[in-house]
Amino acid sequence: MGLVADEFGPVIAREHFLLGETVDGVRNPILSSWERSRSLGLSPDGCELPYTEDLDLDGRLMHAAAPVLDRLEARFAGASMNISLADSRGAVLQRRFGDPVSARRLEPIQSVPGFVFAEKFGGTNGIGLALAERRLVNVYGAEHFAERSQSNACSAIPVRDPLSGRIEGVLCFGYPRDRADVALDIVISRAAEAIERRLLEESSARERALLRAYLDLRNHLPAAPAAGGLGAEDRVLLEERATELISSARRASVEVALPGGRRVTLLSRPVTSASGVEGVVVEAAFPERLHLLAATGTDVAEGAAREPPDLHAPAPGAAARPGETVPHGPEAEALVLVGEPGVGRFAVAARRRLELLSEASTRIGTTLDVTRTARELAEMAVPRLADYVTIDLPEAVLRGDEPASPARDLHRAVVHGIRDDCPFYPAGERLDLQPTTPQLPCLTGGRTVLEPDLRSAAGWIAQNRVNAQRILAHNVHSLIAVPLLARGIALGIASFYRARDPAPFGDDDRALAQELATRAAICIDNARRYTREHAMVLALQHSLLPQGFPEQNAVEVAHRYLPAESGVGGDWFDVIPLSGTRVALVVGDVVGHGLHAAATMGRLRTAARNFAELDLPPDEVLTHLDNLVARLDREECGDDPFSGITGIIGATCLYVIYDPTSQWCTMARAGHLPPALVRPDGTVTFPDLPAGPPLGLGGLPFETAEFHLPEGSQLVLYTDGLLEDRDRDFDTAVEQLRAALAHPSRPPEDTCREVAERVVPRHPADDIALLVARTHALDPHRIASWDLPADPALVSSVRGAVTGRLTAWGLDEIAFDTELLLSELVTNAVRYGTGPIRVRLLYDRALTCEVADHSSTAPHLRHAATTDEGGRGLFLVARLSQAWGTRYTDDGKVIWAECPLEMSAGRSAAAEISLDDIPAI
């Protein structure tokens, strides 16, 4: 309970606090009050309370509280209990004592009405803290800031006007600190509720007095013909407008349109009860009645007063209170509402708050962007709740993470207001909140803080005195700081400032700000989690896409990958070097978005690269991918169609092979858009390539097509997100792409930039993968070929011709290795293949040796036993080359091997082969 005897209780904590040291184990409201007290310049032994004689001892609060105080005094008779009632300023109106004798021993400050216990005068105490926290509080012993109060404990609770929600006063219990009991919280809460009920009854009595005054007036007037009846929907519309007329407190006339094309005129006029209560009565005059009044020359307002009132529609106070009855009678058909102007203003304000909350539910959270969602909250609040709104979020939230410490790395995310020149910290600036600011306890304690008057808010001013004075110079005078809480986690702070309305924020404003912030916090949390997941998926997809392309001379490439606004998809692209200086270009698209699509994309890209390593033609690569997708679908979905597991659903792919030795391009597609071919003369065509079914359908063949591409042509591969746009016709997008590509001399990187600027949709609904490749041709002087019959005797002549060509190319260093390698390949073709035999050398980044024959027998690498006479040829090929393999053609196969152009450490690869590896002769 925080007793003085506690070793680590408030006594020790308070001493550490006064010394400026870190304090632990003190409740947040108490610690915040201590900080405010110190910022106000108060000292524990210098809290002088002012005394005032300006007390309303005959007002509504005293009348409502008197019977309740009597019952409390009787209940605590003989006990050391001090019962106090203070007004909204903290000035004590009345004190009651359970033991009157003990009151004589108390100082006047604790026994005489009139002393003001507001926190700014008395520091931390029950009455002052209840006004600051605006809720039930308990203060025990040394938790009091003033030395004189530390021997006592107290419980205090605000008393509110049920109609306006404003704090009318404070009920406080004072007692010895060893008499603290949680049961006292129940007693004081029920006592405050009883006072509030009596305040409500007083309002009802005043309205009933107004109604009687109105009826007395009507009883002295002659009756008029009854007007037409009103339906329930009609009454709702009329009562809303009537409430606004009551709040205006003047004679007025307004026409209201009802459903069905009918129109009714509402007339308001003042009325005063016999006891002096002033109010407003609102009556409805129907068109036929107004016509009658005009024909007889009667004043409209006066005539409406003579119309028989309809008391089936209750007065505003009665309509809001269960059990309240209003007289009924057929003679009261035109009456709509009767009430006091203040009550009308409260009703209008309440309705507008409900409208604001209803609108906020549709306007906050329209996107999954954290900053945009925060701005939507600010736009909703200005100007209907506040004149300026600032929203501060930790850097972690902006990244999509949960904040480990909300006050760390805080950044101003939004500044919005009725003017742009108010000197709040600008958006994007990092904030370092001082402990005295209202925002810090709001963020760390998760509670809403209301500062009615910023001019006296020393803690807020201490954050930046110069800037605070500039803000106050713009008439900003009141603040509500609300934590953005979602799932118990503080995601930031929303600060609402008032400037134009001279009245400070009240509890109803605080409740509205808190409700708005709560709704926005949920949307911000959803956006934050989406941002985190989006970043994770994007990082996964980025890791699965090529981080760089391998070196090759066949094409010059550039690429772009643009994720969709709504989420990451499964688009991918790849550039794969193949044997014989060829290159494969791949673009694919997995249907759907999110983690599953990105993971599937990675699996398909890996599979496509593996199938490409087999040197398969495009149609066979797509067939293997088709079988793979179908198998993955079956594995993921299983046999249960209701398992809830979604398969790949579908994917498309375009596979292209370009050969720089012949300048022929072979391609096939599986449900994908055809590529664009840009000729050196600037002609842009979209070849009529057989479509083929999307991957995963199975059972349908894929077809290939071949095109000759002159050197300097461009191959442009893309996914459908580039052309599909809900705001643009597909044919229009194709023409835009054609126009953007019609510049053949432009480098591929510039082509990518031009397409991104002119063709990409403004708000992409799907991912976009773009791959631009400019073709090159291998110099014919770097290609050498020989056609041989299947005769072993010709192997030596081939070796001589190869040596001569290598000498002409300046590759004498690798001549010996190349001769040995070709001898093995040609011998293998002569022994196991079918003639004729074709030998080809390709001099590019590496030296490629190819031996082709008309047999489809596949060679296999094996380790020969020491007693075997053969089986070591391919082993030597593997050791002498950096890569080797077999690819099949329409009329046979090609065995190829790539030799590096330089030997490591200046040594021949053949020299590294052990004599044990060479078969005995």
Side-chain angles (χ1 to χ4, degrees), residues 818-830:
T818 304
E819 290 177 22
L820 181 58
L821 186 150
L822 270 176
S823 296
E824 294 296 335
L825 293 180
V826 173
T827 302
N828 184 77
V830 169

PDB file of all heavy atoms in Angstrom, residues 818-830:
ATOM      1  N   THR A 818      44.417 -29.333 -75.261  1.00  0.00           N
ATOM      2  CA  THR A 818      43.315 -29.379 -76.213  1.00  0.00           C
ATOM      3  C   THR A 818      43.483 -30.557 -77.171  1.00  0.00           C
ATOM      4  O   THR A 818      42.505 -31.257 -77.513  1.00  0.00           O
ATOM      5  CB  THR A 818      43.250 -28.065 -77.002  1.00  0.00           C
ATOM      6  OG1 THR A 818      43.146 -26.975 -76.096  1.00  0.00           O
ATOM      7  CG2 THR A 818      42.041 -28.059 -77.933  1.00  0.00           C
ATOM      8  N   GLU A 819      44.726 -30.823 -77.648  1.00  0.00           N
ATOM      9  CA  GLU A 819      44.966 -31.969 -78.526  1.00  0.00           C
ATOM     10  C   GLU A 819      44.593 -33.269 -77.842  1.00  0.00           C
ATOM     11  O   GLU A 819      43.931 -34.141 -78.432  1.00  0.00           O
ATOM     12  CB  GLU A 819      46.441 -32.006 -78.935  1.00  0.00           C
ATOM     13  CG  GLU A 819      46.857 -30.895 -79.874  1.00  0.00           C
ATOM     14  CD  GLU A 819      48.345 -30.959 -80.173  1.00  0.00           C
ATOM     15  OE1 GLU A 819      48.928 -32.048 -80.010  1.00  0.00           O
ATOM     16  OE2 GLU A 819      48.914 -29.927 -80.558  1.00  0.00           O
ATOM     17  N   LEU A 820      45.001 -33.410 -76.591  1.00  0.00           N
ATOM     18  CA  LEU A 820      44.701 -34.634 -75.864  1.00  0.00           C
ATOM     19  C   LEU A 820      43.200 -34.797 -75.658  1.00  0.00           C
ATOM     20  O   LEU A 820      42.633 -35.884 -75.825  1.00  0.00           O
ATOM     21  CB  LEU A 820      45.423 -34.613 -74.510  1.00  0.00           C
ATOM     22  CG  LEU A 820      45.245 -35.843 -73.599  1.00  0.00           C
ATOM     23  CD1 LEU A 820      45.707 -37.109 -74.322  1.00  0.00           C
ATOM     24  CD2 LEU A 820      46.016 -35.651 -72.299  1.00  0.00           C
ATOM     25  N   LEU A 821      42.537 -33.707 -75.311  1.00  0.00           N
ATOM     26  CA  LEU A 821      41.098 -33.752 -75.064  1.00  0.00           C
ATOM     27  C   LEU A 821      40.342 -34.124 -76.337  1.00  0.00           C
ATOM     28  O   LEU A 821      39.468 -35.002 -76.342  1.00  0.00           O
ATOM     29  CB  LEU A 821      40.643 -32.395 -74.525  1.00  0.00           C
ATOM     30  CG  LEU A 821      39.201 -32.253 -74.052  1.00  0.00           C
ATOM     31  CD1 LEU A 821      39.131 -31.211 -72.934  1.00  0.00           C
ATOM     32  CD2 LEU A 821      38.304 -31.781 -75.197  1.00  0.00           C
ATOM     33  N   LEU A 822      40.694 -33.464 -77.465  1.00  0.00           N
ATOM     34  CA  LEU A 822      40.006 -33.747 -78.721  1.00  0.00           C
ATOM     35  C   LEU A 822      40.273 -35.166 -79.198  1.00  0.00           C
ATOM     36  O   LEU A 822      39.392 -35.822 -79.779  1.00  0.00           O
ATOM     37  CB  LEU A 822      40.435 -32.746 -79.785  1.00  0.00           C
ATOM     38  CG  LEU A 822      39.591 -31.467 -79.878  1.00  0.00           C
ATOM     39  CD1 LEU A 822      40.176 -30.521 -80.897  1.00  0.00           C
ATOM     40  CD2 LEU A 822      38.166 -31.817 -80.249  1.00  0.00           C
ATOM     41  N   SER A 823      41.491 -35.657 -78.964  1.00  0.00           N
ATOM     42  CA  SER A 823      41.794 -37.030 -79.346  1.00  0.00           C
ATOM     43  C   SER A 823      40.861 -38.001 -78.660  1.00  0.00           C
ATOM     44  O   SER A 823      40.338 -38.946 -79.277  1.00  0.00           O
ATOM     45  CB  SER A 823      43.251 -37.365 -79.006  1.00  0.00           C
ATOM     46  OG  SER A 823      44.139 -36.565 -79.755  1.00  0.00           O
ATOM     47  N   GLU A 824      40.618 -37.797 -77.388  1.00  0.00           N
ATOM     48  CA  GLU A 824      39.724 -38.678 -76.649  1.00  0.00           C
ATOM     49  C   GLU A 824      38.293 -38.564 -77.168  1.00  0.00           C
ATOM     50  O   GLU A 824      37.587 -39.562 -77.313  1.00  0.00           O
ATOM     51  CB  GLU A 824      39.772 -38.342 -75.160  1.00  0.00           C
ATOM     52  CG  GLU A 824      41.101 -38.622 -74.491  1.00  0.00           C
ATOM     53  CD  GLU A 824      41.443 -40.115 -74.501  1.00  0.00           C
ATOM     54  OE1 GLU A 824      40.509 -40.952 -74.584  1.00  0.00           O
ATOM     55  OE2 GLU A 824      42.638 -40.441 -74.444  1.00  0.00           O
ATOM     56  N   LEU A 825      37.824 -37.336 -77.431  1.00  0.00           N
ATOM     57  CA  LEU A 825      36.455 -37.153 -77.896  1.00  0.00           C
ATOM     58  C   LEU A 825      36.249 -37.760 -79.282  1.00  0.00           C
ATOM     59  O   LEU A 825      35.230 -38.411 -79.548  1.00  0.00           O
ATOM     60  CB  LEU A 825      36.104 -35.655 -77.924  1.00  0.00           C
ATOM     61  CG  LEU A 825      36.014 -34.940 -76.575  1.00  0.00           C
ATOM     62  CD1 LEU A 825      35.662 -33.467 -76.774  1.00  0.00           C
ATOM     63  CD2 LEU A 825      34.981 -35.602 -75.668  1.00  0.00           C
ATOM     64  N   VAL A 826      37.203 -37.509 -80.184  1.00  0.00           N
ATOM     65  CA  VAL A 826      37.066 -38.042 -81.537  1.00  0.00           C
ATOM     66  C   VAL A 826      37.167 -39.563 -81.524  1.00  0.00           C
ATOM     67  O   VAL A 826      36.401 -40.270 -82.200  1.00  0.00           O
ATOM     68  CB  VAL A 826      38.132 -37.422 -82.469  1.00  0.00           C
ATOM     69  CG1 VAL A 826      38.112 -38.103 -83.841  1.00  0.00           C
ATOM     70  CG2 VAL A 826      37.903 -35.935 -82.620  1.00  0.00           C
ATOM     71  N   THR A 827      38.116 -40.110 -80.740  1.00  0.00           N
ATOM     72  CA  THR A 827      38.244 -41.558 -80.642  1.00  0.00           C
ATOM     73  C   THR A 827      36.965 -42.179 -80.108  1.00  0.00           C
ATOM     74  O   THR A 827      36.496 -43.222 -80.592  1.00  0.00           O
ATOM     75  CB  THR A 827      39.432 -41.924 -79.743  1.00  0.00           C
ATOM     76  OG1 THR A 827      40.623 -41.346 -80.282  1.00  0.00           O
ATOM     77  CG2 THR A 827      39.580 -43.432 -79.631  1.00  0.00           C
ATOM     78  N   ASN A 828      36.363 -41.532 -79.109  1.00  0.00           N
ATOM     79  CA  ASN A 828      35.115 -42.040 -78.537  1.00  0.00           C
ATOM     80  C   ASN A 828      34.002 -42.025 -79.579  1.00  0.00           C
ATOM     81  O   ASN A 828      33.187 -42.965 -79.679  1.00  0.00           O
ATOM     82  CB  ASN A 828      34.726 -41.177 -77.339  1.00  0.00           C
ATOM     83  CG  ASN A 828      33.488 -41.700 -76.643  1.00  0.00           C
ATOM     84  OD1 ASN A 828      33.541 -42.673 -75.900  1.00  0.00           O
ATOM     85  ND2 ASN A 828      32.354 -41.052 -76.898  1.00  0.00           N
ATOM     86  N   ALA A 829      33.946 -40.952 -80.416  1.00  0.00           N
ATOM     87  CA  ALA A 829      32.916 -40.858 -81.444  1.00  0.00           C
ATOM     88  C   ALA A 829      33.136 -41.908 -82.530  1.00  0.00           C
ATOM     89  O   ALA A 829      32.185 -42.506 -83.047  1.00  0.00           O
ATOM     90  CB  ALA A 829      32.909 -39.458 -82.050  1.00  0.00           C
ATOM     91  N   VAL A 830      34.427 -42.149 -82.886  1.00  0.00           N
ATOM     92  CA  VAL A 830      34.699 -43.139 -83.909  1.00  0.00           C
ATOM     93  C   VAL A 830      34.335 -44.532 -83.422  1.00  0.00           C
ATOM     94  O   VAL A 830      33.764 -45.353 -84.157  1.00  0.00           O
ATOM     95  CB  VAL A 830      36.187 -43.069 -84.323  1.00  0.00           C
ATOM     96  CG1 VAL A 830      36.568 -44.267 -85.207  1.00  0.00           C
ATOM     97  CG2 VAL A 830      36.475 -41.768 -85.053  1.00  0.00           C
TER      98      VAL A 830
END
